[in-house]
Amino acid sequence: LAGWMADKVPARIPITIGLSFYVAAMYSLSRLNQQSSFETMASMIILREIGGGLLFAPLIRASLSALPLSQVGMGAGLISLNRQIGGMIGIAFFGTFLDSREIFYRQMFGQRQADSPFGAQYFLTSMKNLFVSIGNTDGIASAQALSVLDRVVGVQALVNSFNDIFLIIAIMVSIVIIPAL
C-alpha cells in the first residue's frame, strides 16, 4: 500500500498518515496499565507498525529521488546507516531513561508508603496472614510479604516508566509531523 501510495500521491500524504498512526499508537501505549489486555497492546503495536510501513517507503523514495542516479546507491547506504545509528542512540537513550524513571517511581511510591503507612501496613499484614495460614513461620511470612510488596511496587514503577517513554515518543513524533506537512 505504501509503495503504491508513493507512486500515486505526494510523499507528504503517506508520511503524515504514517506519523499520525505512530503518534496514536504511542499515545495509546502510554495509557496502558497492568490490567490492559493482550489484544489492546497487540492492536496498538499493529497500528504502530502500519504507521511505520506507511512512513518509511515514501520517505526513502522521496529522499532518494532528490539525488542524481549516480548517487542513489550511496544515498541508500547513508539512509540505512542513519537509521541504524538513530536506532542505537534511541535504544541507549530510552534504556537509560527507563532505568532512571523506574528508580524515580520506586522512590515516589516508597515516599507515599512512608507518608501514609496504613495502606502499606494493611497490605503487609494481609500478606503475612496469608503466608502464615499456609504454614510459614511469622519471620518467613513477614519476609515473603515484604517481597510481594516489593514486586508489586516494582511492576507498577516499570509500567509507569514505560508509559512515560511512550508519551515522550508520541510527543516527539507529533513535532515531526509539522515539517512532514
Side-chain angles (χ1 to χ4, degrees):
L1 178 64
W4 175 84
M5 286 179 76
D7 291 337
K8 304 292 183 198
V9 300
R12 71 179 187 283
I13 293 171
I15 289 171
T16 303
I17 293 170
L19 289 170
S20 298
F21 281 12
Y22 212 88
V23 168
M26 288 295 141
Y27 181 76
S28 296
L29 286 169
S30 77
R31 313 313 295 159
L32 295 177
N33 59 44
Q34 294 176 29
Q35 288 74 38
S36 296
S37 69
F38 172 78
E39 291 80 15
T40 301
M41 289 184 269
S43 65
M44 292 305 103
I45 291 170
I46 289 168
L47 181 63
R48 184 195 70 196
E49 293 303 314
I50 291 170
L54 288 170
L55 168 67
F56 288 114
L59 184 63
I60 291 170
R61 183 164 194 254
S63 300
L64 294 178
S65 68
L67 296 175
L69 192 56
S70 64
Q71 293 180 341
V72 169
M74 186 180 296
L78 286 174
I79 288 171
S80 179
L81 177 67
N82 284 332
R83 284 183 66 188
Q84 292 294 322
I85 291 172
M88 288 185 286
I89 291 170
I91 289 169
F93 171 78
F94 287 115
T96 302
F97 187 76
L98 180 70
D99 287 343
S100 67
R101 293 305 288 176
E102 186 177 2
I103 292 167
F104 166 77
Y105 281 116
R106 277 184 168 274
Q107 290 172 343
M108 187 180 76
F109 295 149
Q111 186 60 44
R112 282 187 187 166
Q113 290 172 6
D115 292 344
S116 178
F118 300 111
Q121 193 56 46
Y122 178 77
F123 179 84
L124 288 171
T125 301
S126 298
M127 291 277 67
K128 178 182 173 187
N129 290 339
L130 173 70
F131 289 125
V132 166
S133 73
I134 58 173
N136 291 300
T137 64
D138 277 350
I140 292 174
S142 294
Q144 288 174 323
L146 281 171
S147 176
V148 169
L149 179 60
D150 182 59
R151 278 186 257 150
V152 168
V153 167
V155 167
Q156 188 59 53
L158 188 60
V159 168
N160 286 12
S161 301
F162 273 107
N163 287 349
D164 289 352
I165 287 173
F166 291 137
L167 184 60
I168 288 171
I169 293 171
I171 291 168
M172 291 169 67
V173 174
S174 295
I175 293 168
V176 172
I177 290 176
I178 297 166
L181 290 172

